[in-house]
């Protein structure tokens, strides 16, 4: 747990070199407690200001904004609840790698028992912070939960403050590798246009596929 928390602080405090050799840590279930509990109240200093790290889902039930596709999405929601209720000590392995796609660094975590079931990605930048959770069902992408904060000022600006910035949450639901529904807490659950969903499907599947390849890279 100390290793994981230390990584969080380092990522916020320094700009990682993109040419740096990939570091990988396999966390054994007997050596850690639940990291989702441990980061819930983590505060770190950004320009001398307390900043909350976005929370991973733990023991959460998906929000049903309306009855649209309720029955169709039942398995997706049940699977989301099942996976996010697994404490870290009950995973067979958790593999972490540096993931430097933003200015202040990032980390990707792969959660597996008999097979890969969840991927989380944290990215920190000068003007935002983002957490993305990918959930698999029958070895296929099932649910994606994206959370981010956009800062009004860069973190190096003396007027930086995160207190008034709203956390945006976006949920994407997949059935047989197809994006069938997406909800954003900024639009009160209103359905998106089909053309927009197609573009979002391409984006999310590309990002997910990149993470799968990255897991298998040296």
């Amino acid at each position: 747990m100390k290793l994981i928390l230390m990584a969080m602080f380092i990522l916020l405090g320094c700009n990682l070199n993109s040419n740096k050799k990939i570091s990988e840590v396999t966390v054994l279930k007997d050596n850690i407690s639940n990291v989702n509990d441990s980061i819930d109240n983590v505060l770190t200093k950004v320009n001398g200001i307390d900043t909350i790290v976005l929370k991973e889902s733990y023991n959460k039930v998906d929000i049903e904004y309306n009855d649209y596709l309720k029955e169709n999405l039942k398995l997706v929601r049940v699977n989301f609840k099942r996976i996010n209720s697994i404490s870290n000590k009950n995973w067979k392995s958790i593999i972490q790698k540096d993931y430097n796609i933003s200015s202040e660094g990032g980390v990707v975590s792969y959660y597996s028992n008999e097979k890969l079931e969840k991927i989380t990605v944290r990215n920190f930048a000068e003007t935002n912070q983002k957490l993305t959770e990918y959930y698999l069902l029958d070895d296929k992408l099932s649910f994606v939960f994206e959370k981010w904060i956009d800062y009004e000022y860069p973190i190096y600006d003396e007027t930086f403050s995160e207190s008034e910035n709203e956390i945006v949450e976006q949920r994407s639901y997949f059935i047989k590798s197809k994006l069938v529904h997406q909800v954003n807490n900024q639009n009160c659950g209103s359905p998106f246009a089909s053309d927009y969903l197609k573009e979002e499907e391409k984006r999310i599947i590309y990002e997910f596929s990149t993470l799968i390849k990255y897991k298998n890279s040296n």
Side-chain angles (χ1 to χ4, degrees):
M1 182 173 67
K2 290 182 179 179
L3 174 62
I4 296 169
L5 293 179
M6 186 179 296
M8 298 296 181
F9 294 134
I10 292 173
L11 288 172
L12 277 171
C14 60
N15 190 348
L16 298 178
N17 189 331
S18 61
N19 294 321
K20 180 181 177 181
K21 184 178 180 181
I22 295 171
S23 65
E24 179 177 321
V25 178
T26 301
V27 184
L28 301 179
K29 63 179 183 179
D30 294 333
N31 294 338
I32 61 172
S33 59
N34 182 17
V35 70
N36 296 316
D37 288 339
S38 69
I39 68 170
D40 270 357
N41 297 310
V42 167
L43 293 175
T44 189
K45 293 285 185 181
V46 176
N47 203 27
I49 299 173
D50 286 336
T51 303
I52 297 176
V53 176
L54 289 171
K55 301 177 185 178
E56 290 186 23
S57 302
Y58 183 61
N59 275 333
K60 299 294 184 182
V61 176
D62 186 40
I63 298 173
E64 296 181 11
Y65 284 93
N66 50 46
D67 291 333
Y68 179 67
L69 290 176
K70 183 175 181 178
E71 287 302 314
N72 303 64
L73 301 179
K74 185 176 181 179
L75 286 178
V76 175
R77 290 186 167 119
V78 168
N79 188 62
F80 167 67
K81 177 63 169 64
R82 177 187 67 82
I83 293 175
N84 79 54
S85 297
I86 301 174
S87 64
N88 277 14
K89 63 183 178 181
N90 290 322
W91 288 104
K92 185 175 181 180
S93 71
I94 302 172
I95 297 174
Q96 292 189 318
K97 291 186 174 185
D98 293 336
Y99 199 59
N100 305 326
I101 63 171
S102 54
S103 61
E104 298 300 314
V107 61
V108 55
S109 302
Y110 301 89
Y111 298 78
S112 302
N113 279 322
E114 297 305 319
K115 57 186 177 182
L116 180 66
E117 294 201 79
K118 182 175 75 169
I119 302 172
T120 63
V121 182
R122 289 185 178 277
N123 287 306
F124 301 97
E126 294 176 350
T127 57
N128 59 67
Q129 175 190 159
K130 186 174 183 180
L131 167 65
T132 306
E133 304 171 14
Y134 301 85
Y135 293 83
L136 286 75
L137 177 62
D138 296 329
D139 297 319
K140 295 182 179 179
L141 187 61
S142 172
F143 180 67
V144 180
F145 195 1
E146 298 171 276
K147 309 173 190 178
W148 66 90
I149 303 173
D150 290 322
Y151 307 139
E152 185 175 358
Y153 301 99
I155 57 175
Y156 54 78
D157 194 295
E158 62 180 10
T159 58
F160 172 81
S161 173
E162 196 180 50
S163 60
E164 297 181 357
N165 293 316
E166 184 178 0
I167 297 176
V168 181
E169 295 184 350
Q170 183 162 285
R171 297 167 168 84
S172 300
Y173 305 82
F174 287 79
I175 296 178
K176 296 181 179 179
S177 301
K178 180 177 176 60
L179 179 61
V180 297
H181 189 45
Q182 190 176 78
V183 174
N184 188 296
N185 66 348
Q186 303 296 296
N187 74 344
C188 302
S190 301
F192 288 102
S194 58
D195 289 346
Y196 177 80
L197 286 180
K198 288 180 181 178
E199 291 303 312
E200 280 292 276
E201 178 182 303
K202 291 179 182 178
R203 174 185 69 85
I204 294 171
I205 289 180
Y206 173 78
E207 292 173 353
F208 175 71
S209 300
T210 300
L211 290 169
I212 295 296
K213 292 177 182 177
Y214 191 65
K215 177 180 181 292
N216 300 321
S217 66
N218 295 325

